[in-house]
C-alpha cells in the first residue's frame, strides 16, 4: 500500500502557499523541515534529481469532483491500487485501510462487528464523520450513516482514493473529516476473473467477474460470495454459555454497463443485489440485511471544453436486528426486542465544469439532491420482565446542495483552489406510535449550512511542494440518531428527535510533499474544532444505565501524519506511516468533569508499515504491520484498551501468465487484544488466521 511520488506535469500550473497558521507545534515542525529542505536544495541539484523521478501520473476524482492528476491536487491524498489490495491480508476493505495515516477504524473488523458499528474516522473526528463513495455514489447508509463495508466488491477494485480534511464544501454532510472514493473496474471489452480462497474459521470466498463488448456497449457481471464461522468475540475470562462464534455470510451480485454514443458522450449503469446474514456473538443476536440499489451516470463533453455530468441513484433496504439481554454471569440470554428497519433513498446530481486556458483557471458548479425515509418497526419482547407491545418510529430527511469550485494559477508555481457549498436540509414527518396505537408527531426541523474551503499549493522546485488549507464543515443528524434506539449488552441507547447538526467550526492543515530520487515523503499537520457534537448522555447510572443522544460536546483534534515510500532495490520497497493524534473533549455541559478527557477509541499514536519484495521470476512477498497505542472505550476514560501490534503476511506467485496462487496470514503472532468495550462487555480483535487461494485473470 503506498502513495505515488509527486510529479511535475510539463507546462503545468504550480501550487500553494500556506494561509492559516494553526499554532500546533507539530505544524511548526513541519514548516521548519520544509524551510531547511528549501535552503539545502539548489535549483541545479533539483533539476538533476528530477530526472530520476517516475513519469507516472495518477488520476484523482474525489478531491475536486472531477478528474485531476494526483500530483497536482492541493490536498492530502493517498491512492491505493487494486494490486496493493490483492497483496493485503484482508477479507474486507476496512481491514486493508488500517495502516493508512490519519484513518481511524474500529479495532474490530467489520467481518464480525454489528452493521451499525461499522464506520470510519479521519484525524480523530469520530465515527460517521467521513463520506465513503462507491464509484462516486454515497456508500454511507442513508438511514444510519454507517459504512456498508461488505457491499464493496473487494476483488473488483481498481483503486481507492483517500482525501483527508473537510470535504463538505463539495460533498455536504458526512464529508466533514474527508472523503474516500472506491473506484471499481470499469466494464471494458472482453475479460474474465475468478478468485477463490479458503482458510481458518471455515472461511470461504468466491469472486467472479466477466465483461463483454457488443459494438459501443459493454456489459459486466460481478458476483461476490463470502462465508465465515468467525470467532468468539467476548474475552475468555468474561464468557459464558450464551457466547458463540460471530459468523457472517453474504452474497453480492452487480450488473454494470456503459454505452458510448460518441467519444464525448457516454452513459453508464450499475445495479446491485446484496444479501447478508450475521450473528454478533450470542445465541440470539442475529441480524440480516437485504439491499437493492442502482445508479446511472451521463457524461458529455462539448467542443468548447464544457463538461456536464448527470447522475441518478436509489436504494431499497430491509434491515432486521435482534437485541438481547444477557445475564451478568452470561449463563442465560433473553430476547429483549426485535427491529425491522425498512428504508429507501433516491438522489440526483448535476455538474458543469470548464477550463479557461487564457486565464489559467477552471470553474466547476453543480447541484445535488437526496431524499431518505425509514422506519423502526420495533417489537418489544421482554424488557425488565414487561411485554408492553410494539413501538414504531419513522421519519424522512431531504437535503439539497449547491456548490462551486474555482481553480486559479496566479503564478506558474502557485495554485489557489477555493470552493463553497450551501446546503438546505430538513427532517419531517417524524412520528412515534406507542403501545396503545396513538401517534405522537415530532416537530419538523430545517437548517441552512454554508461550507467554505480554501486550499493552496506552492511548488518550490521539482522536489518540494508546500500546501495548506482552511475549511468549515458540518454533519446533519441521521434518521438512526433521530428515531432508532437500541440495546448494546444490557444497556439501552435512546434516540433524540430534536438533534441538530454537528459543526466543524474551523479546520486547517499545513503540509509538505517531497520527492528525492527513489524516496517520496509527505507530512501534514492539522487542527480541527468541532462543536455541537452528538454524544450519548447518561440518564441513569450503572447497573441500570440508560443513555440518550444529545448535541452537548465540543471537541478538538490536532496532530500530524507522515507517509513515505523508499525504493531500496529494484524489487524491494518500504512504506511506513505514522499518525500522532491529540483528540480531547473541550466542553461537555452535562458533566464538566469529562472536559480534558481523551475522545473514545482514538489512540495517540498509530504506526503502519509495508515491506514488499516483488520479483515475478520468483515470488511476491509483503509484510504489513500496524500498531495502536493505548486508548479508551468511553469518554469517562475509565475503560482503557491496551496498545497492540499486529502483523500480516502475503506470498503469491504468478504462472502461465493468467494464473496466480497466494497464501495470506493475518495477526501471525496470534496477539490477543481487546478491540472495544460497550458497557461492561468487552470484544476481541481477530486471532491468527491463514487462508490460501487461486486467482485467474484474463
Amino acid at each position: 500500500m503506498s502513495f505515488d511520488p509527486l510529479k511535475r506535469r510539463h507546462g503545468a500550473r504550480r501550487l500553494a502557499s500556506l494561509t492559516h497558521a494553526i499554532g500546533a507545534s507539530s505544524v511548526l515542525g513541519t514548516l521548519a523541515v520544509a524551510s531547511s529542505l528549501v535552503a539545502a536544495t539548489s535549483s541545479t541539484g533539483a533539476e538533476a534529481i528530477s530526472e530520476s523521478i517516475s513519469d507516472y501520473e495518477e488520476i484523482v476524482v474525489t478531491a475536486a469532483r472531477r478528474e485531476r492528476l494526483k500530483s497536482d491536487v492541493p490536498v492530502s491524498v493517498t491512492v491505493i491500487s487494486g494490486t496493493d489490495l490483492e497483496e493485503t491480508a484482508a477479507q474486507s476493505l476496512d481491514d486493508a485501510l488500517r495502516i493508512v495515516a490519519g484513518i481511524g477504524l474500529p479495532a474490530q473488523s467489520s467481518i464480525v462487528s454489528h452493521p451499525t458499528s461499522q464506520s470510519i474516522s479521519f484525524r480523530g473526528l469520530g465515527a460517521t464523520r467521513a463520506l465513503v463513495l462507491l464509484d462516486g455514489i454515497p456508500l454511507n447508509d442513508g438511514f444510519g450513516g454507517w459504512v456498508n463495508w461488505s457491499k464493496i466488491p473487494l476483488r473488483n477494485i481498481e483503486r481507492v482514493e483517500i482525501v483527508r480534511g473537510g470535504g463538505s464544501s463539495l460533498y455536504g454532510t458526512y464529508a466533514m473529516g474527508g472523503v474516500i472514493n472506491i473506484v471499481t473496474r470499469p466494464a471494458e471489452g472482453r475479460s474474465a476473473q475468478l478468485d477463490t480462497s479458503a482458510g481458518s474459521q471455515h472461511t470461504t470466498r468466491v469472486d467472479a467477474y466477466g465483461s463483454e463488448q457488443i459494438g459501443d456497449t459493454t456489459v459486466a457481471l460481478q458476483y461476490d460470495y463470502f462465508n465465515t464461522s468467525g470467532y468468539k468475540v467476548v474475552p475468555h475470562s468474561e464468557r459464558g454459555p450464551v457466547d458463540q462464534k460471530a459468523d457472517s455470510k453474504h452474497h453480492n451480485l452487480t450488473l454494470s454497463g456503459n454505452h458510448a454514443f460518441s467519444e464525448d458522450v457516454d452513459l453508464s449503469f450499475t445495479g446491485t443485489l446484496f444479501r447478508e446474514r450475521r450473528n454478533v456473538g450470542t445465541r440470539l443476536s442475529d441480524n440480516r440485511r437485504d439491499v437493492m440499489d442502482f445508479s446511472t451516470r451521463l457524461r458529455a463533453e462539448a467542443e468548447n471544453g464544457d463538461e456536464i455530468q448527470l447522475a441518478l441513484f436509489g436504494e431499497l433496504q430491509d434491515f432486521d436486528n435482534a437485541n438481547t439481554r444477557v445475564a451478568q454471569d452470561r449463563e442465560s440470554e433473553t430476547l429483549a426486542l426485535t427491529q425491522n428497519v425498512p428504508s429507501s433513498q433516491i438522489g440526483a446530481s448535476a455538474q458543469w465544469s470548464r477550463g479557461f486556458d487564457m486565464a489559467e483557471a477552471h470553474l466547476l458548479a453543480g447541484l445535488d439532491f437526496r431524499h431518505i425515509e425509514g422506519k423502526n418497526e420495533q417489537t418489544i419482547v421482554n424488557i425488565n420482565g414487561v411485554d408492553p407491545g410494539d413501538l414504531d418510529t419513522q421519519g424522512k430527511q431531504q437535503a439539497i446542495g449547491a456548490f462551486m469550485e474555482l481553480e486559479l494559477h496566479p503564478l506558474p508555481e502557485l495554485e489557489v483552489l477555493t470552493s463553497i457549498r450551501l446546503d438546505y436540509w430538513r427532517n419531517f414527518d417524524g412520528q412515534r406510535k406507542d403501545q396503545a396505537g396513538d401517534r405522537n408527531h415530532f416537530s419538523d426541523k430545517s437548517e441552512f449550512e454554508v461550507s467554505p474551503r480554501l486550499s493552496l499549493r506552492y511548488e518550490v522546485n521539482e522536489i518540494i511542494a508546500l500546501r495548506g488549507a482552511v475549511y468549515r464543515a458540518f454533519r446533519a443528524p441521521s434518521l438512526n440518531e433521530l428515531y432508532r434506539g437500541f440495546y448494546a449488552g444490557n444497556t439501552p441507547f435512546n434516540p433524540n428527535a430534536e438533534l441538530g447538526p454537528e459543526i466543524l467550526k474551523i479546520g486547517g492543515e499545513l503540509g509538505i510533499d517531497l520527492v528525492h530520487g527513489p524516496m517520496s515523503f509527505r507530512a501534514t499537520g492539522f487542527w480541527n474544532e468541532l462543536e455541537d457534537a452528538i454524544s450519548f448522555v447518561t440518564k441513569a447510572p450503572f447497573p441500570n444505565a440508560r443513555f440518550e443522544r444529545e448535541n452537548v460536546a465540543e471537541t478538538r483534534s490536532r496532530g500530524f501524519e507522515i507517509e513515505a515510500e523508499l525504493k531500496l532495490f529494484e524489487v524491494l520497497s518500504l512504506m511506513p506511516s505514522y499518525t500522532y493524534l491529540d483528540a480531547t473533549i473541550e466542553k461537555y455541559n452535562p458533566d464538566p468533569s469529562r472536559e480534558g478527557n481523551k475522545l473514545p477509541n482514538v489512540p495517540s499514536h498509530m504506526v503502519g508499515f509495508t515491506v514488499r519484495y516483488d520479483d515475478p521470476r520468483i515470488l511476491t512477498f509483503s509484510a504489513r504491520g500496524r500498531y495502536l497505542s493505548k486508548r479508551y472505550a468511553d469518554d469517562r476514560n475509565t475503560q482503557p484498551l491496551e496498545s497492540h501490534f499486529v502483523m500480516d503476511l502475503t506470498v503469491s506467485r504468478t504462472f502461465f501468465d493468467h494464473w496466480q496462487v497466494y497464501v495470506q496470514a493475518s495477526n501471525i503472532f496470534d496477539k490477543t487484544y481487546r478491540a472495544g468495550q460497550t458497557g461492561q462487555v468487552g470484544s476481541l480483535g481477530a486471532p491468527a488466521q491463514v487462508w490460501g487461494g487461486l486467482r485467474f485473470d484474463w
Side-chain angles (χ1 to χ4, degrees):
M1 186 179 301
S2 66
F3 66 89
D4 300 298
L6 297 169
K7 176 198 170 283
R8 178 168 182 164
R9 254 190 318 182
H10 291 298
R13 305 84 85 168
R14 291 299 148 206
L15 318 178
S17 183
L18 308 170
T19 77
H20 186 57
I22 59 178
S25 60
S26 59
V27 176
L28 296 177
T30 299
L31 289 177
V33 172
S35 300
S36 64
L37 288 169
V38 172
T41 307
S42 69
S43 60
T44 303
E47 291 174 1
I49 294 171
S50 67
E51 294 177 0
S52 67
I53 298 175
S54 168
D55 201 43
Y56 184 68
E57 295 182 339
E58 185 88 43
I59 288 178
V60 171
V61 299
T62 57
R65 292 189 76 129
R66 62 186 178 92
E67 293 187 352
R68 291 196 59 185
L69 296 178
K70 176 180 178 245
S71 55
D72 283 344
V73 178
V75 292
S76 178
V77 182
T78 296
V79 178
I80 306 170
S81 71
T83 301
D84 290 333
L85 294 175
E86 289 179 353
E87 296 174 3
T88 300
Q91 295 284 15
S92 61
L93 183 59
D94 59 311
D95 290 335
L97 297 178
R98 293 185 184 280
I99 63 171
V100 178
I103 282 185
L105 287 151
Q108 190 178 69
S109 170
S110 65
I111 295 297
V112 297
S113 63
H114 195 277
T116 61
S117 66
Q118 297 173 18
S119 60
I120 191 166
S121 170
F122 278 84
R123 296 174 171 173
L125 277 174
T128 69
R129 299 183 181 113
L131 176 65
V132 181
L133 305 169
L134 183 60
D135 292 321
I137 303 300
L139 185 70
N140 297 67
D141 186 272
F143 182 83
W146 48 78
V147 182
N148 295 323
W149 296 110
S150 298
K151 282 187 63 181
I152 301 169
L154 186 62
R155 304 305 182 201
N156 194 38
I157 295 175
E158 182 176 274
R159 67 183 184 273
V160 179
E161 306 160 352
I162 301 164
V163 182
R164 305 171 188 84
S168 292
S169 62
L170 288 177
Y171 290 100
T173 188
Y174 291 128
M176 175 186 289
V179 180
I180 294 178
N181 188 29
I182 303 146
V183 181
T184 60
R185 176 195 308 202
E188 292 181 334
R190 177 179 293 180
S191 65
Q193 184 185 70
L194 179 65
D195 189 334
T196 62
S197 62
S200 303
Q201 301 172 7
H202 301 97
T203 300
T204 56
R205 183 172 208 124
V206 178
D207 293 274
Y209 174 90
S211 65
E212 180 62 83
Q213 183 167 347
I214 305 171
D216 295 325
T217 302
T218 305
V219 178
L221 188 65
Q222 188 270 333
Y223 174 68
D224 169 23
Y225 168 79
F226 177 81
N227 188 15
T228 182
S229 64
Y231 63 94
K232 292 185 177 181
V233 297
V234 174
H236 187 272
S237 61
E238 302 169 21
R239 289 178 200 159
V242 303
D243 295 301
Q244 64 178 35
K245 293 180 178 180
D247 57 51
S248 176
K249 178 180 181 180
H250 73 251
H251 303 265
N252 196 1
L253 180 65
T254 300
L255 174 67
S256 60
N258 62 68
H259 177 77
F261 296 96
S262 67
E263 290 185 359
D264 300 322
V265 181
D266 59 74
L267 177 69
S268 60
F269 170 83
T270 300
T272 299
L273 296 174
F274 175 79
R275 168 166 286 190
E276 179 182 67
R277 304 289 184 267
R278 64 171 63 205
N279 177 282
V280 292
T282 63
R283 294 170 179 169
L284 303 177
S285 58
D286 296 322
N287 61 75
R288 68 171 185 85
R289 285 185 293 175
D290 292 292
V291 185
M292 179 174 64
D293 60 41
F294 78 93
S295 65
T296 184
R297 188 188 304 271
L298 176 69
R299 183 198 63 86
E301 188 171 346
E303 291 184 1
N304 63 0
D306 285 3
E307 183 176 83
I308 296 175
Q309 295 185 34
L310 304 176
L312 176 69
F313 66 91
E315 179 183 88
L316 294 174
Q317 177 175 236
D318 192 44
F319 172 43
D320 283 345
N321 180 50
N323 282 185
T324 69
R325 292 179 64 89
V326 179
Q328 292 226 342
D329 58 8
R330 304 195 72 79
E331 290 282 342
S332 62
E333 177 188 29
T334 57
L335 189 63
L337 59 87
T338 61
Q339 295 173 323
N340 175 238
V341 188
S343 62
S344 63
Q345 64 172 316
I346 190 165
S349 66
Q351 178 177 305
W352 166 88
S353 65
R354 178 194 282 189
F356 301 90
D357 294 335
M358 294 292 294
E360 286 287 310
H362 192 281
L363 180 63
L364 177 148
L367 296 167
D368 56 31
F369 169 81
R370 198 174 182 186
H371 174 90
I372 305 165
E373 54 185 81
K375 298 180 180 181
N376 179 34
E377 299 172 343
Q378 183 168 283
T379 299
I380 301 175
V381 180
N382 187 335
I383 295 181
N384 296 326
V386 178
D387 179 10
D390 296 340
L391 181 67
D392 296 346
T393 53
Q394 65 184 53
K396 300 175 183 178
Q397 187 175 80
Q398 283 183 351
I400 186 169
F403 55 89
M404 182 178 70
E405 179 189 72
L406 178 62
E407 173 192 339
L408 296 172
H409 298 268
L411 299 172
E413 301 85 5
L414 176 66
E415 175 179 345
V416 179
L417 187 66
T418 181
S419 54
I420 189 167
R421 179 180 171 111
L422 175 64
D423 278 279
Y424 170 75
W425 60 271
R426 67 183 185 120
N427 302 321
F428 63 104
D429 271 3
Q431 55 184 281
R432 170 177 173 170
K433 185 182 72 173
D434 61 23
Q435 291 84 355
D438 296 329
R439 293 187 179 272
N440 300 314
H441 293 268
F442 301 116
S443 58
D444 296 348
K445 289 181 66 93
S446 63
E447 295 208 24
F448 284 94
E449 293 295 339
V450 179
S451 305
R453 178 175 177 126
L454 175 66
S455 302
L456 303 109
R457 186 172 186 269
Y458 183 80
E459 187 171 278
V460 179
N461 52 41
E462 297 278 357
I463 308 305
I464 300 170
L466 306 177
R467 54 186 161 76
V470 61
Y471 40 81
R472 184 181 188 273
F474 82 102
R475 184 184 75 88
S478 68
L479 294 179
N480 177 69
E481 292 168 317
L482 294 165
Y483 305 123
R484 175 186 167 269
F486 64 93
Y487 268 72
N490 292 332
T491 305
F493 293 80
N494 297 328
N496 183 351
E498 300 301 318
L499 292 174
E502 300 179 323
I503 305 297
L504 180 63
K505 61 181 180 181
I506 182 68
E509 62 183 56
L510 294 171
I512 178 172
D513 302 325
L514 169 68
V515 172
H516 187 171
M519 186 272 289
S520 58
F521 173 87
R522 174 187 297 260
T524 306
F526 54 85
W527 180 295
N528 295 296
E529 294 184 8
L530 178 64
E531 64 181 12
D532 295 329
I534 297 173
S535 176
F536 279 111
V537 175
T538 304
K539 295 299 183 179
F542 287 106
N544 297 312
R546 178 171 57 86
F547 298 88
E548 184 173 308
R549 300 182 195 266
E550 292 185 12
N551 292 96
V552 293
E554 293 184 13
T555 68
R556 182 196 65 193
S557 66
R558 58 184 178 179
F560 62 90
E561 58 207 16
I562 296 172
E563 290 181 303
E565 180 173 0
L566 179 61
K567 193 84 170 181
L568 301 174
F569 303 101
E570 186 66 27
V571 296
L572 185 64
S573 57
L574 172 65
M575 290 146 283
S577 67
Y578 171 72
T579 305
Y580 169 74
L581 279 168
D582 177 21
T584 57
I585 300 172
E586 296 297 291
K587 188 175 181 180
Y588 192 80
N589 293 328
D591 183 2
S593 68
R594 301 189 198 186
E595 295 172 4
N597 286 358
K598 297 289 185 181
L599 291 180
N601 299 305
V602 179
S604 295
H605 306 278
M606 297 188 293
V607 180
F609 71 85
T610 299
V611 178
R612 178 182 295 135
Y613 175 87
D614 188 4
D615 187 345
R617 298 168 302 175
I618 304 174
L619 54 79
T620 297
F621 168 84
S622 66
R624 191 181 83 146
R626 58 190 183 275
Y627 167 81
L628 293 184
S629 65
K630 177 183 174 182
R631 59 215 184 280
Y632 295 95
D634 66 325
D635 56 11
R636 294 176 180 271
N637 290 180
T638 60
Q639 297 176 331
L641 302 172
E642 70 273 16
S643 62
H644 65 270
F645 172 77
V646 175
M647 189 168 178
D648 306 333
L649 297 176
T650 297
V651 179
S652 63
R653 178 71 162 87
T654 301
F655 58 97
F656 300 138
D657 294 333
H658 301 294
W659 295 87
Q660 184 184 74
V661 62
Y662 61 89
V663 176
Q664 298 180 328
S666 62
N667 193 3
I668 60 172
F669 302 121
D670 199 20
K671 170 68 175 178
T672 300
Y673 59 95
R674 189 176 291 251
Q677 185 159 325
T678 302
Q680 303 302 306
V681 182
S683 57
L684 295 176
Q689 301 174 76
V690 180
W691 59 90
L694 183 67
R695 184 178 295 122
F696 170 76
D697 198 344
W698 177 78

